[in-house]
Structure formats: C-alpha cells, structure tokens
Amino acid sequence: MINEYTRFARQHFPELCQPRPLDSHKGTFGTLGILAGGKNMVGAALLAARAALKQGTGRVHVGFTQDSQPLEVDTVQPELMLNTAGKLLGKEDIGAWVAGCGMGLTPLAQNCLATLFNRYPYAAIVLDADALTLLSEHAFALSHDKAPLVLTPHPSEAARLLGCTTADIQKDRNQAAREISGKHTAWTVLKGYQTVICSPKGEITVNHTGNPGLSTAGTGDVLAGMIGACLAQGITPEQAIAGAVWLHGAAADYLVSQGIGPVGMTAGEVLDAARTVRNLITVQA
C-alpha cells in the first residue's frame, strides 16, 4: 500500500513530498494560529493543533474562544503555545489560520471570526465546524481575495451554507461543492465518502483514500489542522488542500493495514499515522 501511495503522492502532490533543507529552522515552516475550543470543547482545539504540529508546522498557536485560558499547557504536546483567542488575534506573524473546531456559537466566537477576517486579509484561513455555522447565520465581510479561504463542511453544514437539506447536498455532491465555492469565492472540502474538493473556479477533485474508521469524533478537527499546516508551510493551495485530504485518508488506510481499526480508530491515532505516512512518502534527499 505504501509503495502505491508513495507513487501517487509524488506524482500528484510533489510539494507534500519534499525533503527538508539541511539549513532549515522553525521559521522556515510557517506559523499557524488556531481559533477553537470554546467551553467544554477544548479537545477539538488540541486535536487540530496537534495534527498541525505533527505535519511539521514550525510554530502552532491556539487561541481558545473563552474569556479565560482553560489550560496553561498541553501536557501531551507542550510545544503548542496556548492563549485566549482575543490575545492571539493581536499577533502579526501568523501566516495561516484554522477557525471553528469546537469554538462555539457565542457572541465571543462570532466577534473572533469577524476580527479574523478584518485583521488578516493576507493570511490563508481554514473554516471548520462552528465557524461554518456562524458563516451561514451572519453576514461577515469576507473580503479575502488575497489569500485562500477554505471551507470544510460535512453534508449538514453544507446544507446550512446553501439553505437546503442534507439530502439535497448528497444528491449531487459535486454541484453542492461548486455552489459553496461560488457563493464564498472559496475552496470547498465537502467531507464524507469520497470527499469532494472544489476550487474557487469550480474545478472538482474527488478523493479516494480513507475508510469508515474516520467516522468518529475529532477526525474533522484533525483534517482542518492538517490543511492549515500545509498552507502555513507555503505549499500551494492546489496541493495543500487536496494533498491534506488525501493524506488524512491515507493515514486511516495505513492504520487499518497495521491492524488498527476501522472499528475503534481514534482521531489521535489518525494524526500520528498522518505524520508517519508523510515521512514515508517524502523524497529522500
């Protein structure tokens, strides 16, 4: 399986497979900010952040969408830099953002999202989960044509974005992705069996990696973190977005090949396996 996936990745996502320069440092691989983790949802933020860290992002900041910081340190990954969303949104050196993983639908979360769009027009932004619900319910100023905007809905979130039913989305997933991309001038990652990736121009790619083991809580947070990581590292959107989706599914397939899942596969296992697969497909210097 790995040989087959290595050939595919090196053909279709060569930027994902590049070895690291010998003279690289943490600044070489970007800085990612994550706005997530409202009340009782800190785990969603940590899954996204750990996934981004293990995809090789140089620095990962987490801004919890709460009035006070719920954690001083992630004891599993103390490399993560934790803060409140309000304080994190004052930083100027963040090149890419992920927003939404368990961030909640509170006025604070809404204000954080509006501030993100206003202050960081040149940064890549990935919206997942609650950020998509907020986007469907409020009129944000989305003047974000200077950097990629990525929306990662599951079918129910896609239905809210388009004001239709989940069944309508599933009848024609390609068309639904095109409509979302057209409406928001964004990349769309319509999750589910054979995830659909659509560019702002309406170009469709369908992913064929993955298995039912991904049908568990937290795997969407992991995917959002992985997409943000690839964008933060300067991989072009065409390869970063589809490549992260492919790698996320390939990690689940790798776990099954190792006797882990699909039953009982966890999001934490997926993010570790994604690091393993990323290194296995990397061209040797």
Side-chain angles (χ1 to χ4, degrees), residues 26-75:
K26 63 185 178 183
T28 307
F29 304 110
T31 301
L32 180 69
I34 297 178
L35 300 179
K39 186 176 181 181
N40 300 323
M41 293 297 289
V42 168
L46 295 181
L47 283 169
R50 292 172 187 174
L53 187 68
K54 291 191 174 184
Q55 277 305 302
T57 310
R59 289 170 290 203
V60 181
H61 294 267
V62 180
F64 295 105
T65 48
Q66 303 188 38
D67 292 321
S68 58
Q69 189 174 324
L71 294 175
E72 288 297 322
V73 65
D74 176 4
T75 56

Side-chain angles (χ1 to χ4, degrees), residues 73-94:
V73 65
D74 176 4
T75 56
V76 174
Q77 296 295 162
E79 302 89 347
L80 299 174
M81 291 167 276
L82 311 183
N83 216 320
T84 62
K87 291 181 180 178
L88 183 57
L89 284 164
K91 291 185 67 64
E92 298 181 358
D93 63 340
I94 296 178

Side-chain angles (χ1 to χ4, degrees), residues 6-255:
T6 297
R7 288 192 295 271
F8 184 90
R10 292 181 182 179
Q11 178 181 355
H12 295 278
F13 310 117
E15 293 179 52
L16 205 65
C17 304
Q18 290 304 300
R20 303 216 142 178
L22 294 177
D23 61 349
S24 60
H25 52 83
K26 63 185 178 183
T28 307
F29 304 110
T31 301
L32 180 69
I34 297 178
L35 300 179
K39 186 176 181 181
N40 300 323
M41 293 297 289
V42 168
L46 295 181
L47 283 169
R50 292 172 187 174
L53 187 68
K54 291 191 174 184
Q55 277 305 302
T57 310
R59 289 170 290 203
V60 181
H61 294 267
V62 180
F64 295 105
T65 48
Q66 303 188 38
D67 292 321
S68 58
Q69 189 174 324
L71 294 175
E72 288 297 322
V73 65
D74 176 4
T75 56
V76 174
Q77 296 295 162
E79 302 89 347
L80 299 174
M81 291 167 276
L82 311 183
N83 216 320
T84 62
K87 291 181 180 178
L88 183 57
L89 284 164
K91 291 185 67 64
E92 298 181 358
D93 63 340
I94 296 178
W97 290 85
V98 173
C101 305
M103 78 184 300
L105 304 176
T106 64
L108 173 60
Q110 181 183 344
N111 182 64
C112 286
L113 199 56
T115 302
L116 175 63
F117 291 133
N118 182 55
R119 289 188 183 171
Y120 298 91
Y122 296 97
I125 295 178
V126 180
L127 300 185
D128 186 44
D130 290 336
L132 297 171
T133 299
L134 289 169
L135 183 63
S136 70
E137 294 177 349
H138 301 281
F140 292 100
L142 280 180
S143 55
H144 205 76
D145 56 354
K146 301 178 182 67
L149 174 65
V150 187
L151 311 183
T152 62
H154 57 55
S156 294
E157 290 162 344
R160 286 194 285 274
L161 288 168
L162 293 179
C164 62
T165 68
T166 302
D168 291 332
I169 298 296
Q170 296 294 73
K171 284 177 187 175
D172 192 339
R173 287 167 53 81
N174 288 6
Q175 182 58 27
R178 283 195 182 97
E179 290 182 20
I180 294 169
S181 287
K183 181 177 180 180
H184 296 288
T185 316
W187 288 83
T188 298
V189 175
L190 180 53
K191 296 182 289 193
Y193 174 63
Q194 297 190 341
T195 291
V196 176
I197 302 103
C198 183
S199 77
K201 296 179 180 179
E203 301 157 332
I204 293 288
T205 302
V206 178
N207 183 65
H208 295 285
T209 57
N211 59 68
L214 291 171
S215 302
T216 188
T219 56
D221 305 317
V222 169
L223 176 59
M226 290 173 62
I227 295 172
C230 290
L231 291 168
Q233 290 169 55
I235 298 174
T236 57
E238 292 78 9
Q239 293 195 36
I241 299 164
V245 171
W246 175 87
L247 182 60
H248 183 256
D253 292 340
Y254 175 78
L255 286 170

